[in-house]
Amino acid sequence: MIKALNTPIKDEDLVELNVGDVVYLTRQLVTCRDVAHRRLIVRKKDDGSFEMVSIGPTTSLRMEKFEKQFIEETGVKMIIGKGGMGPETTAGCLENKAVHALFPGGCAVLAATKVKEIERAEWQDLGMPETLWVNRVREFGPLIISIDTKGNNLFEQNKARFNERKGAIIEKINSQVRFIK
């Protein structure tokens, strides 16, 4: 399913989403590097405002140890990052009606074209990459749902499928390259 959502996201917006679905966001998108899994590069313009140059995801899994607590304490409804998350984030999404979504890696410049305006910049004393950016976006995506509100985790499902098939595949490869040993 492909779905367009307007922020702020509500619980009912997420109920029908399943892992593998694609989402596009419009209105406000808040980013900061380590807390919200966002890495971005911003350029200050001559008039003192900012221009988004690149807004790419950072590795999600390094946030796994505190993401459940972050979801609980902030009420955030969608975490966007690169790569999968583990059982703590899955539990946080299940218990708090939130989702984790992936933005395709390598598309940071494309993502920046979806930022129509930077509305605010908080905590600038942390430096550009760590600043909390409040952005106005239009059709920001594609975002692929990797953890849904039902506790399904696309990466864990894919790992299970791979592990079921890998024995036969390894045996086939070994039979074809035995001469290399």
Side-chain angles (χ1 to χ4, degrees), residues 65-125:
K65 63 185 170 192
F66 54 80
E67 200 62 30
K68 181 179 182 207
Q69 181 181 358
F70 178 77
I71 293 168
E72 290 169 355
E73 291 184 14
T74 64
V76 67
K77 291 298 172 187
M78 181 181 287
I79 302 291
I80 303 169
K82 175 179 69 178
M85 295 292 275
E88 288 297 310
T89 302
T90 302
C93 288
L94 176 65
E95 294 167 16
N96 298 283
K97 293 188 175 101
V99 298
H100 178 267
L102 308 169
F103 190 87
C107 298
V109 174
L110 169 67
T113 67
K114 304 300 182 177
V115 176
K116 301 307 171 195
E117 176 187 1
I118 297 174
E119 296 178 341
R120 287 193 335 267
E122 306 290 339
W123 306 334
Q124 292 183 49
D125 59 305

Side-chain angles (χ1 to χ4, degrees), residues 17-172:
L17 291 178
N18 295 300
V19 294
D21 289 349
V22 175
V23 174
Y24 290 86
L25 297 178
T26 296
R27 291 197 185 142
Q28 198 171 68
L29 173 72
V30 178
T31 67
C32 61
R33 185 171 157 168
D34 280 357
V35 176
H37 304 288
R38 305 300 295 163
R39 178 178 300 145
L40 38 96
I41 300 168
V42 176
R43 179 171 40 227
K44 195 165 190 172
K45 298 187 328 190
D46 291 339
D47 66 2
S49 64
F50 297 97
E51 171 189 16
M52 190 67 66
V53 178
S54 174
I55 180 171
T58 193
T59 304
S60 297
L61 193 56
R62 71 179 194 193
M63 307 303 147
E64 172 67 9
K65 63 185 170 192
F66 54 80
E67 200 62 30
K68 181 179 182 207
Q69 181 181 358
F70 178 77
I71 293 168
E72 290 169 355
E73 291 184 14
T74 64
V76 67
K77 291 298 172 187
M78 181 181 287
I79 302 291
I80 303 169
K82 175 179 69 178
M85 295 292 275
E88 288 297 310
T89 302
T90 302
C93 288
L94 176 65
E95 294 167 16
N96 298 283
K97 293 188 175 101
V99 298
H100 178 267
L102 308 169
F103 190 87
C107 298
V109 174
L110 169 67
T113 67
K114 304 300 182 177
V115 176
K116 301 307 171 195
E117 176 187 1
I118 297 174
E119 296 178 341
R120 287 193 335 267
E122 306 290 339
W123 306 334
Q124 292 183 49
D125 59 305
L126 297 176
M128 283 284 187
E130 302 294 338
T131 295
L132 185 141
W133 300 96
V134 179
N135 306 288
R136 179 73 46 190
V137 298
R138 180 160 172 78
E139 297 177 358
F140 186 85
L143 304 171
I144 302 165
I145 302 301
S146 66
I147 300 174
D148 62 25
T149 60
K150 301 160 205 73
N152 297 309
N153 184 318
L154 182 63
F155 280 82
E156 294 304 316
Q157 290 173 357
N158 287 344
K159 281 182 203 173
R161 274 195 293 272
F162 170 77
N163 286 331
E164 288 172 8
R165 298 179 358 211
K166 78 178 179 183
I169 293 169
I170 290 171
E171 184 57 40
K172 181 179 179 183

